[in-house]
Amino acid sequence: MGNNRWTRRAVLVIRNMKFQNKLMFGYLLACVIPLISVSVIIFNQSAAGLEDSSQEFASLYTSQIRTTLNQFVEEYDKVTKSVLVENGLIYNLAGEHSLSMDELINQKMAIQRLMMRVTWLKSDISTLMLVSRDNNVYQYTTTTSRVNENALLSRAKEWNERYRNTEDPFFITGLHDRSYYEDKGKGAVVTVGRVLFSSDGAYAGLLLIDLDPFILLQLDQDFVLARDKYGMSVIISNRQKEIVYHSDAASGRLTWEHVLQSGADYIKDSEDEDRIILTGSTSEGDLFIKTEIPRSKLLQKINRIKGVTVIVILLSCVIIALISFGLSYTITKPIKALRRSMKQAEAGQYVPIEKEQANDEIGSLVYSYNKMILTIRTLIEEVYIAEIKQRQAKFLALQNQINPHMLYNTLESIRMKVLAKDDEESAGMIMILARMFRLALGKGGSYHSVKHELEYTANYMQLQNIRFDNMFSLSVKIPDEILHCTIIPLVFQPIVENSINHGFLDYSHPMHIVIEGDWNDEGEIVIRITDDGAGMSKEKLEELLAMLEHVELDKYKLEDGDNKPESSGLGLKNIAERIKLHYGDKYYLTIRSGMDRGTVVEICIPKLLG
């Protein structure tokens, strides 16, 4: 359930993502996923190939070491066998206790000559020792360092016990210190020896050759460089599992003393995941070779490959991202311009996209859209604006006409007064009527001030009071700032006329009309015209409100030809339509009725200074 919820959420996020982002991320994924996959495959193949190459090189290196050691063993086997040629000398070694003093001296000199010949066979030999069965020590050295005979005998006894009964009398000891040398110098040596037997099979003694461990491996420089490059270690041990040679000690990375102390740890069999281990041995099995390659060294190279791969991937991703952004921006730019133009069209601004478009599907879409916008704008100019102009013409005609019914009543009142009294009151009525004509027609139907609209309404009230014996009173409560604002003509007077025509009961009920103005929270002008007349029924109020609600829909419609003008004046609907036409749909005219009597008409118009 949780996975399904996350899946649906991811799908919803992708669905609501902007088209440019979808395009860009889609292109990125289409390029980056194959790039990463190919890079990972190449990296794994390279890492595996590097490890295989290292193992192949280590195998080759081990093979070279095996060849070198075979040659070493063969050479020193021959060198030590050369002593056996002196059968008489070897026989005498087995029976020194029965020789006279002169024979012992002659034998010692013969042994010295023999040892000298042996050292000439191999220039690597610096110290040669012979220990007889009777523990007499003979030594020959090309250096100044001599062997302490007593110290050597204890070591020779150990070797005698270990190698005397083996199948092969030739042996190579493990690394050991130089403690039996008189100088007790530092370092370690390897001893190559042979157990000597006389012709009758009797034990005669030991032939010992001390060698520097470096002599065991004499590789060319290319192999040494490759060994150091891969960090390989070469460990050579003998049959007794004693360490004979360690390349780290030979190269100075370890001391011989450390190798002597931890020799067993280097040659024990173990499966170490941190190292690649290859083994081998000489042809006779005298020496065993163990080659180790640290995986950390390989990992350094592999990590270097990984680093290069990551950098290449990142650079490729950046380049792909830039290309993706450029492509998505190029594709979505005309779409965004089309969307902005559509928003303007929704707001009533029919403006085509002016920028030159590419000759592709989107450019064709923009071209069709521009053609549609121009067609709509033409239709608006030909139909919509023409209808508004016709409506405005109708408004101007209504504005400039004089209400015939009002004019008839006024003239009738003047006639009756003139007949009855023949005094200045008739002249006053004529003066008021003239003033109303002047206010109504003075600006040809354009905007005039709220103050002028109030003067026109006040003059109308004076005429009605003459007609109805002062039954109406008018109160004005409007701030001076509002008085100087502009308003369309003939707004207050038709509303007051409706109040008198429909709200005046009889002469026993005088009517009071109040015109008050104020500002709303948005700084717009709100004017209320309130009377205390008869009011209206609930049904009549609902009918009027329904008519006013349809004003916004009817304001641009042409009236039917058979519609007759209202006999009661311009009417509330006409005023409401004019407010919508001139000021916009935000502004209005509404009507409310009192509980028992009275009516309130409220209008809202913008603040416009003349």
Side-chain angles (χ1 to χ4, degrees):
M1 293 295 292
N3 292 335
N4 292 335
R5 185 171 65 253
W6 281 107
T7 301
R8 288 194 299 269
R9 185 174 297 177
V11 170
L12 184 62
V13 169
I14 294 173
R15 184 182 300 170
N16 295 332
M17 191 181 293
K18 291 185 177 180
F19 178 67
Q20 181 178 355
N21 294 336
K22 287 181 182 178
L23 195 63
M24 183 171 68
F25 286 121
Y27 184 80
L28 275 174
L29 290 176
C31 294
V32 170
I33 291 177
L35 174 65
I36 293 177
S37 301
V38 171
S39 299
V40 169
I41 293 172
I42 293 175
F43 169 74
N44 290 333
Q45 293 294 326
S46 300
L50 179 61
E51 186 167 339
D52 292 341
S53 298
S54 301
Q55 291 191 18
E56 289 175 3
F57 175 77
S59 178
L60 180 63
Y61 187 68
T62 304
S63 176
Q64 174 69 19
I65 293 173
R66 186 186 301 113
T67 302
T68 303
L69 290 178
N70 281 330
Q71 183 179 357
F72 171 83
V73 172
E74 290 175 1
E75 289 178 354
Y76 276 88
D77 183 52
K78 291 178 180 179
V79 168
T80 56
K81 280 182 179 179
S82 65
V83 178
L84 300 177
V85 176
E86 303 288 341
N87 290 326
L89 185 63
I90 299 300
Y91 181 80
N92 289 333
L93 283 176
E96 282 183 330
H97 58 283
S98 59
L99 297 177
S100 63
M101 181 62 66
D102 291 336
E103 291 174 334
L104 287 175
I105 293 172
N106 292 330
Q107 178 174 293
K108 187 172 183 178
M109 293 178 63
I111 290 175
Q112 286 292 327
R113 288 193 297 271
L114 175 64
M115 295 173 71
M116 187 180 299
R117 286 198 304 270
V118 171
T119 57
W120 288 347
L121 293 176
K122 288 291 292 183
S123 61
D124 297 330
I125 301 175
S126 59
T127 301
L128 181 65
M129 298 162 289
L130 194 151
V131 180
S132 69
R133 185 179 66 178
D134 294 335
N135 292 327
N136 290 321
V137 176
Y138 304 91
Q139 60 176 306
Y140 178 82
T141 179
T142 60
T143 66
T144 58
S145 179
R146 292 186 60 79
V147 174
N148 184 295
E149 296 180 359
N150 293 328
L152 175 63
L153 286 175
S154 62
R155 188 69 62 90
K157 182 180 179 182
E158 177 185 346
W159 291 334
N160 183 30
E161 292 175 355
R162 181 181 300 176
Y163 301 113
R164 181 173 178 176
N165 297 321
T166 58
E167 295 179 359
D168 188 358
F170 177 78
F171 63 88
I172 300 175
T173 69
L175 281 172
H176 56 84
D177 56 31
R178 301 176 73 255
S179 59
Y180 55 80
Y181 281 84
E182 291 181 351
D183 60 0
K184 297 184 181 298
K186 293 182 179 180
V189 293
V190 174
T191 300
V192 176
R194 178 176 288 276
V195 181
L196 302 177
F197 295 94
S198 63
S199 58
D200 59 358
Y203 170 69
L206 291 175
L207 178 65
L208 304 174
I209 302 173
D210 280 352
L211 298 174
D212 193 317
F214 290 100
I215 298 174
L216 270 72
L217 287 182
Q218 296 180 358
L219 304 174
D220 62 34
Q221 188 65 21
D222 292 336
F223 274 94
V224 173
L225 292 175
R227 179 197 66 188
D228 294 339
K229 178 180 179 181
Y230 289 102
M232 291 192 301
S233 297
V234 179
I235 302 167
I236 302 173
S237 59
N238 59 14
R239 292 177 179 177
Q240 288 70 35
K241 294 186 177 181
E242 297 173 326
I243 191 164
V244 175
Y245 174 86
H246 199 300
S247 60
D248 288 348
S251 63
R253 283 183 287 186
L254 293 176
T255 62
W256 289 113
E257 288 78 7
H258 179 79
V259 173
L260 289 173
Q261 292 173 3
S262 307
D265 296 333
Y266 292 116
I267 60 177
K268 65 181 180 181
D269 296 331
S270 62
E271 293 183 0
D272 192 350
E273 294 182 355
D274 296 332
R275 292 175 177 270
I276 299 173
I277 299 176
L278 298 175
T279 59
S281 64
T282 57
S283 57
E284 299 298 329
D286 297 289
L287 297 175
F288 298 90
I289 307 162
K290 182 179 181 182
T291 304
E292 297 180 349
I293 303 176
R295 291 187 184 272
S296 58
K297 281 282 187 179
L298 294 179
L299 288 176
Q300 287 180 359
K301 298 180 181 298
I302 293 172
N303 289 332
R304 194 176 300 124
I305 297 174
K306 184 189 295 184
V308 173
T309 304
V310 170
I311 292 172
V312 169
I313 290 175
L314 291 177
L315 289 176
S316 300
C317 288
V318 171
I319 294 172
I320 292 171
L322 293 175
I323 295 174
S324 174
F325 177 79
L327 286 176
S328 61
Y329 178 77
T330 303
I331 294 172
T332 58
K333 183 179 179 181
I335 297 177
K336 289 181 179 179
L338 185 62
R339 183 172 177 269
R340 285 194 298 270
S341 182
M342 286 182 176
K343 289 287 186 182
Q344 291 177 336
E346 289 177 5
Q349 300 177 8
Y350 298 93
V351 181
I353 301 173
E354 300 293 341
K355 293 182 179 179
E356 185 178 354
Q357 301 298 324
N359 190 21
D360 55 9
E361 289 81 358
I362 297 177
S364 177
L365 179 64
V366 173
Y367 174 78
S368 299
Y369 172 79
N370 284 341
K371 192 172 181 180
M372 181 186 69
I373 287 294
L374 292 174
T375 303
I376 292 174
R377 193 162 66 180
T378 301
L379 289 174
I380 290 174
E381 291 176 354
E382 292 180 356
V383 179
Y384 180 71
I385 295 179
E387 185 175 340
I388 292 176
K389 288 182 177 180
Q390 185 176 1
R391 189 71 179 181
Q392 288 176 339
K394 178 183 176 183
F395 160 69
L396 291 175
L398 288 172
Q399 177 183 333
N400 288 322
Q401 73 179 6
I402 301 298
N403 191 324
H405 185 67
M406 182 198 71
L407 183 60
Y408 173 80
N409 289 337
T410 303
L411 292 176
E412 180 65 19
S413 298
I414 294 172
R415 187 181 67 83
M416 293 298 295
K417 289 294 181 180
V418 169
L419 290 176
K421 297 182 179 180
D422 195 18
D423 58 11
E424 294 181 358
E425 186 177 13
S426 299
M429 293 178 68
I430 295 172
M431 182 185 67
I432 293 170
L433 184 61
R435 189 180 304 157
M436 290 181 65
F437 274 112
R438 193 162 49 247
L439 290 171
L441 305 176
K443 291 192 177 182
S446 62
Y447 291 88
H448 63 183
S449 66
V450 175
K451 181 178 180 181
H452 289 163
E453 184 71 9
L454 287 173
E455 289 178 2
Y456 183 83
T457 305
N459 288 324
Y460 170 76
M461 286 289 291
Q462 288 184 28
L463 289 176
Q464 296 303 313
N465 278 325
I466 293 173
R467 178 184 174 191
F468 292 98
D469 294 331
N470 295 318
M471 294 301 297
F472 310 110
S473 62
L474 177 65
S475 299
V476 178
K477 301 177 181 178
I478 295 179
D480 291 341
E481 188 177 356
I482 294 179
L483 292 177
H484 296 291
C485 294
T486 60
I487 189 172
I488 56 176
L490 293 178
V491 174
F492 298 165
Q493 182 271 326
I495 296 173
V496 171
E497 183 179 356
N498 278 340
S499 296
I500 293 174
N501 290 340
H502 301 287
F504 180 58
L505 295 173
D506 52 44
Y507 284 92
S508 62
H509 295 85
M511 177 181 284
H512 183 61
I513 299 174
V514 179
I515 302 177
E516 55 185 345
D518 203 354
W519 310 99
N520 64 10
D521 294 337
E522 297 179 4
E524 298 163 338
I525 299 172
V526 178
I527 295 176
R528 298 178 187 86
I529 300 176
T530 307
D531 67 62
D532 56 358
M536 65 185 73
S537 64
K538 183 178 180 181
E539 292 75 13
K540 181 64 176 178
L541 178 62
E542 290 177 353
E543 179 184 346
L544 287 175
L545 291 175
M547 175 191 68
L548 293 175
E549 285 180 1
H550 289 85
V551 165
E552 185 174 347
L553 299 175
D554 296 341
K555 61 184 178 180
Y556 295 131
K557 291 183 179 179
L558 294 173
E559 300 293 346
D560 295 335
D562 56 350
N563 281 0
K564 295 180 180 179
E566 301 176 69
S567 59
S568 60
L570 296 177
L572 295 178
K573 182 180 179 182
N574 182 267
I575 298 172
E577 286 183 0
R578 290 161 58 208
I579 289 174
K580 296 285 185 184
L581 280 169
H582 284 273
Y583 299 126
D585 294 335
K586 180 180 179 181
Y587 303 97
Y588 60 86
L589 178 146
T590 187
I591 186 170
R592 297 193 301 272
S593 179
M595 295 296 294
D596 297 326
R597 56 187 296 178
T599 303
V600 178
V601 178
E602 180 178 293
I603 62 174
C604 178
I605 60 174
K607 176 183 177 182
L608 298 174
L609 297 176

